[in-house]
Amino acid sequence: MPTDASLLCVASRKSRRYGLETAVENGQERSRSGRWSGLFNQQMAEMASALGERPFFLAIQRGLTLVLPLVMAGSVALLVRDFPFPSLQTGLDGLFGVHWRTLCDNLIRGSFGIASLAVLCSFGYSLASLSNQRFPARHVSAGMSATIVLSCFFVITAPSDVSALRDFMSLDRGLLVALLVAAVSGELFLRLARSRWLRLPLSAAGQDPVVHDVLTAMPAGMIVIFLFGLARIGLDLSGAANLNAVAQAVLVDMFQGEGDGLAQGLAYTGLAQVFWFFGAHGPNILYQVEHSILVPAALDNMGAAAAGLVPPFVVTKPFLDAFAMIGGSGSTLCLIAAILLRGRDGGSRKLCLFALAPALCNVNEPILFGLPLVFNPVYAVAFLAAPLIQTLCAYAATVLDLVPRTIAATSWTAPVFLSGYATTGSMAGVAMQAFNLMLGTLVYLPFVALADRVHERSYREALGLLARTACGGDMGLRGCKCLDRPGAEGRLAKTLADDLLDALDRDSQLFLEYQPQLGAQLAGGGLRVVGVEALLRWRHPVHGLIPPPVTVALAEDAGVIDRLGLWVLKEACAQRSAWSVLAGEGVVMSVNMSPRQFQEAQLAQKVESVLAANGLGPGVLELEITESVALLPDARTLATLRRLRESGVRVAIDDFGMGHASLRYLRQFPVDVLKLDRSLTMDSPNGVNGHIIASIVNLSARMGYTLVVEGVETLEQYLRFRAMGCTVFQGLYFSRSLSGEKCLEYILAQDKATPHTA
């Protein structure tokens, strides 16, 4: 077990030890327990990460994620408008007349109807932003990039009949071409805009940087638009109606075939999953395949049923919607069920609860991009296999006449079970959905367990990096230690910072532990408890104990270090007050303080107020500051410390001895206690550290400081430092950090115990 760490300090070596060893060692243990999963994930993740970090694929993901509000709004409107049972529409007609239908139509047109344009612009903007991160010296306006790709889209796709533009802008019919045009025009524009031959020499022109960026890249933008105009002329000369028609015709030709559609259904489902894995909306890209093959098959079934004939097709659009896309592409409702049943990761479980309602109506974007499933090698096999297995099972059940063939069309947003009944007209359709839901859940279960192991290991690695960052002195561009970090550790820091704010508000996850400090008695050589150090702990509901340096750094980055420090002070003083009768006045409560807290003008008043509220005298409180504060004591810090010390509050310098504090600083700094840096206690008796300790012991004696030796973990250490003249000790040899109740028991037991002898 690693040595307990003091909390409210910034670069404390003891906190550093706690944070790093906890994060790294736990990650190593779990890595050894899941060696196979680690190897699998390492190989797959390297490949997926290499692709996922490419600007093109990142831009696709961000482009589709940015239009998620449109997708959600349009899905709700579509669900209400096309609910599979007419009683809802009848009731709404009675309440609102035709206005509710008009509202739904407007919402659908304003969301799904323009979603391809939204994706197009979002992609162009994201692609330029990502490229600017790689090439900051040649910045290109992201807004201009979005404008250029939008223009190119209309140049090459706009039909002569303006009324037909709606099809090109909608999410289902226009997405494939929108992504193709955005990819080509966006990449071409960025390359030309960064060419020194095409950038106008206007480096000193204009006060507005946006105007400057547009002017310098204007030739590149014009060239790209003209090139797409020439491409449109080529399409017209070839006899093609437009680029969209060409692309869709190629896709449809791939799926043409004979039979009752099983091969087409499996190919359609599998290819849609592959598109989704790379971040592209598979069903919308394959819209023309659906419209040319699967929808006509559904119409033939409906016509045959109306004529009293046997429906000719098994695989239709309603068939796949009802039995293979339960929760959306990838049968993600099954994944949600698997995570809620067996998942250990609290964050994933919360996301699944949020995504459950949309998934019941086959809207799966929240889980696809939130979990994520996109570019996630852990779930890749199950994401592809689950809908394929469900398609085969439903096909077999239909061929064996266990389930009727689909004879009615419903909206793809029709809720699960309702859609099963509506499309087949039988409870057997509902039973088939329930069976496939269970089957898909079983397919996902082992991958949920694997994802938990991989996520836990990744979390520990990210937390270890955060702990190192928190202990270091480097600041980001915004003056933050953790929140400015890139990659996984930066995302984790942002999540933990939000959770820390919640923890401060709820006051349920934060708590204190106390590590005793024992002082040697002059007569008999015994030891008694002379003080305790209050140590802040944060037990995160998902990630468990968070390393102390990370908690402090996040509080500083988020601007709540004063709140956190005041909470610690109140809790520690309340606990000391509760001990007063039994512990007496001889036990000092030591509380760590962050350097930023000493910049608060009202700190001294707050400390005095807390002491008074708990009925404590100032002599029982000791404030620990890191040596870095002592290095640069400004006027406000010195004034605050002098006022506190004059009131009777003790002041200690933590981790003393390995920094750069000098006698000059100690003379002007109001100090009562020096806490020996634990790195000095780990050296051999005859090493250099021994001479440093001897000097510090002599210095403390001459200047009247109390010297506390931290990190005493063995009898040999205790005896050695006792022989050197040290009298106050703290460390695992005596006690680990304890709860308030256990610490009081230790204090009382120590008073009665047989004293240690040197």
Side-chain angles (χ1 to χ4, degrees), residues 470-630:
C471 291
D474 295 335
M475 295 289 184
L477 296 177
R478 297 180 300 164
C480 298
K481 279 190 173 183
C482 295
L483 293 183
D484 285 347
R485 297 296 301 169
E489 61 267 34
R491 292 191 295 271
L492 177 61
K494 292 178 177 66
T495 299
L496 291 177
D498 289 338
D499 293 342
L500 179 58
L501 295 177
D502 291 338
L504 282 170
D505 292 334
R506 297 177 183 176
D507 195 22
S508 59
Q509 302 170 19
L510 301 172
F511 62 97
L512 297 184
E513 291 184 343
Y514 307 89
Q515 188 168 35
Q517 299 170 343
L518 290 92
Q521 303 301 295
L522 295 177
L527 293 171
R528 67 178 182 87
V529 177
V530 296
V532 295
E533 181 180 1
L535 303 172
L536 176 64
R537 300 292 185 248
W538 178 18
R539 191 180 300 279
H540 192 279
V542 175
H543 303 304
L545 284 173
I546 303 300
V550 175
T551 305
V552 176
L554 289 174
E556 292 181 334
D557 290 352
V560 294
I561 188 62
D562 292 338
R563 285 182 59 194
L564 181 63
L566 184 60
W567 182 90
V568 171
L569 181 65
K570 288 181 177 179
E571 289 292 311
C573 288
Q575 184 64 76
R576 182 63 186 85
S577 178
W579 291 344
S580 292
V581 175
L582 296 176
E585 297 298 322
V587 178
V588 175
M589 176 64 73
S590 180
V591 177
N592 294 273
M593 302 291 285
S594 164
R596 294 192 185 182
Q597 289 181 260
F598 288 95
Q599 300 301 312
E600 185 184 2
Q602 304 301 317
L603 177 62
Q605 293 91 319
K606 288 181 179 180
V607 172
E608 293 167 359
S609 176
V610 171
L611 288 170
N614 289 279
L616 297 175
V620 299
L621 178 64
E622 177 180 289
L623 299 181
E624 289 189 22
I625 59 178
T626 59
E627 192 175 349
S628 60
V629 181

Side-chain angles (χ1 to χ4, degrees), residues 109-188:
R109 284 193 293 267
S111 55
F112 288 145
I114 62 162
S116 285
L117 294 186
V119 171
L120 184 87
C121 295
S122 299
F123 176 91
Y125 186 93
S126 300
L127 187 65
S129 298
L130 291 165
S131 183
N132 288 335
Q133 294 175 12
R134 299 175 61 196
F135 306 104
R138 293 190 174 181
H139 186 274
V140 177
S141 170
M144 185 178 181
S145 176
T147 304
I148 295 299
V149 298
L150 181 63
S151 173
C152 292
F153 176 76
F154 280 107
V155 166
I156 202 166
T157 63
S160 56
D161 182 6
V162 179
S163 62
L165 277 175
R166 183 172 58 184
D167 291 342
F168 295 89
M169 296 187 295
S170 65
L171 184 62
D172 50 6
R173 303 187 184 189
L175 181 61
L176 175 59
V177 174
L179 289 175
L180 290 174
V181 171
V184 176
S185 61
E187 188 65 32
L188 182 59

Side-chain angles (χ1 to χ4, degrees), residues 68 71-72 75-76 78-79 82 84 112 276 281 283-284 317-334 336 355-368 390 410-420 423 433 437:
L68 185 56
V71 173
M72 298 297 293
S75 300
V76 172
L78 190 63
L79 170 65
D82 298 336
F112 288 145
W276 262 129
H281 198 300
N284 285 336
K317 174 70 164 57
F319 174 89
L320 293 177
D321 285 346
F323 302 128
M325 297 185 181
I326 304 175
S329 295
S331 196
T332 46
L333 186 58
C334 301
I336 291 174
L356 180 58
L360 289 172
C361 299
N362 302 314
V363 178
N364 62 350
E365 279 83 355
I367 198 76
L368 282 168
Q390 290 168 327
T410 62
S411 169
W412 58 269
T413 57
V416 64
F417 300 137
L418 293 181
S419 61
T423 57
Q433 282 188 317
L437 180 61

Side-chain angles (χ1 to χ4, degrees), residues 332-343 352 356 437 441 445:
T332 46
L333 186 58
C334 301
L335 173 59
I336 291 174
I339 291 176
L340 293 178
L341 285 173
R342 296 288 299 274
C352 286
L356 180 58
L437 180 61
T441 302
L445 277 176

